[in-house]
């Protein structure tokens, strides 16, 4: 069984106690519209990627002022996995997921429309507007190669990994966008 993603919200003023009383969290997963289960393979070899969780990004992909959720997911691994094999997302349960936050605070799955199902065994995600067009882009790290998704500003993303030359190979777990040379453009560090 994979890990479940839970949304919690603090309920201020839900108790009658002193100022040192801890917060009260309520599980709103079912009512939020987020339906995500991080899927990991369970091989007899216990490969390292299947022991690790995956990345999450909270970002406003459509510039509507509300945070959206991007969740990275795994993929099935062969048992045993032949050397050089790249895991493939063989069904929708392995897709990465993009959830758009609606004005009522609930979320809708827009993964397919956005073109973000992904490939490989996803591990991490970094958010940054690498081309300074005003829309945040995604860099997804994975076992099987990384992907740079350009935000088109219309609710869709385009895989521009090959053109940007940032695919890498093998296995990456994390990355970060930072302006290392102070030129006003984000640099990618992985």
């Amino acid at each position: 069984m994979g890990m479940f993603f839970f949304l919690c919200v603090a309920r201020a003023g839900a108790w009658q106690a002193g100022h040192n009383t801890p917060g009260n969290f309520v599980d709103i997963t079912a009512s939020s519209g987020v339906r995500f289960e991080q899927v990991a393979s369970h091989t007899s070899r216990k490969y390292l990627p299947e022991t690790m969780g995956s990345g999450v990004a909270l970002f406003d992909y459509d510039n509507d002022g509300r945070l959206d959720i991007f969740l990275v997911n795994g993929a099935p691994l062969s048992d045993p996995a032949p050397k050089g094999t790249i895991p493939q997302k063989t069904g929708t349960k392995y897709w990465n997921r993009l959830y758009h936050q609606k004005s009522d605070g609930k979320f809708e799955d827009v993964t397919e429309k956005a073109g973000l199902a992904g490939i490989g065994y996803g591990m991490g995600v970094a958010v940054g507007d690498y081309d300074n067009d005003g829309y945040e882009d995604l860099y997804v790290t994975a076992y099987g190669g990384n992907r740079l998704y350009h935000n088109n500003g219309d609710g869709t993303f385009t895989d521009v990994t090959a053109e940007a030359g940032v695919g890498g190979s093998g296995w990456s777990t994390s990355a970060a966008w930072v302006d290392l040379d102070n030129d006003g453009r984000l640099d990618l560090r992985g």
Side-chain angles (χ1 to χ4, degrees):
M1 180 182 289
M3 287 187 284
F4 287 91
F5 179 77
F6 292 98
L7 289 176
C8 295
V9 73
R11 290 178 30 195
W15 58 90
Q16 299 294 323
H19 67 280
N20 291 329
T21 303
N24 184 20
F25 292 89
V26 177
D27 180 358
I28 62 164
T29 306
S31 64
S32 73
V34 174
R35 308 277 184 272
F36 178 80
E37 182 178 349
Q38 194 268 334
V39 181
S41 292
H42 297 285
T43 67
S44 64
R45 303 282 177 121
K46 300 193 180 359
Y47 296 113
L48 193 54
E50 55 190 333
T51 68
M52 301 171 70
S54 56
V56 176
L58 301 176
F59 73 119
D60 184 8
Y61 84 95
D62 58 353
N63 291 342
D64 65 0
R66 294 183 293 273
L67 286 178
D68 307 301
I69 305 170
F70 181 77
L71 298 147
V72 181
N73 210 348
L77 295 172
S78 300
D79 190 10
K83 188 175 182 176
T85 301
I86 296 175
Q88 299 299 314
K89 294 186 182 297
T90 57
T92 58
K93 76 178 188 175
Y94 297 106
W95 284 8
N96 300 327
R97 294 289 172 180
L98 177 62
Y99 289 95
H100 174 255
Q101 186 178 171
K102 301 185 293 187
S103 61
D104 64 1
K106 295 189 180 194
F107 293 87
E108 64 181 325
D109 185 342
V110 295
T111 307
E112 191 166 14
K113 176 186 176 222
L116 290 172
I119 65 160
Y121 198 109
M123 297 303 299
V125 59
V127 176
D129 181 10
Y130 78 91
D131 59 352
N132 292 329
D133 66 355
Y135 290 94
E136 294 177 308
D137 309 295
L138 294 174
Y139 187 73
V140 181
T141 61
Y143 172 53
N146 307 321
R147 292 289 178 260
L148 175 59
Y149 296 102
H150 175 262
N151 186 335
N152 299 318
D154 62 359
T156 66
F157 289 76
T158 300
D159 184 342
V160 296
T161 309
E163 300 94 290
V166 295
S169 62
W171 181 27
S172 297
T173 58
S174 61
W177 293 102
V178 61
D179 184 5
L180 291 171
D181 54 5
N182 225 9
D183 65 357
R185 294 187 311 253
L186 292 177
D187 304 301
L188 182 61
R189 301 302 299 168

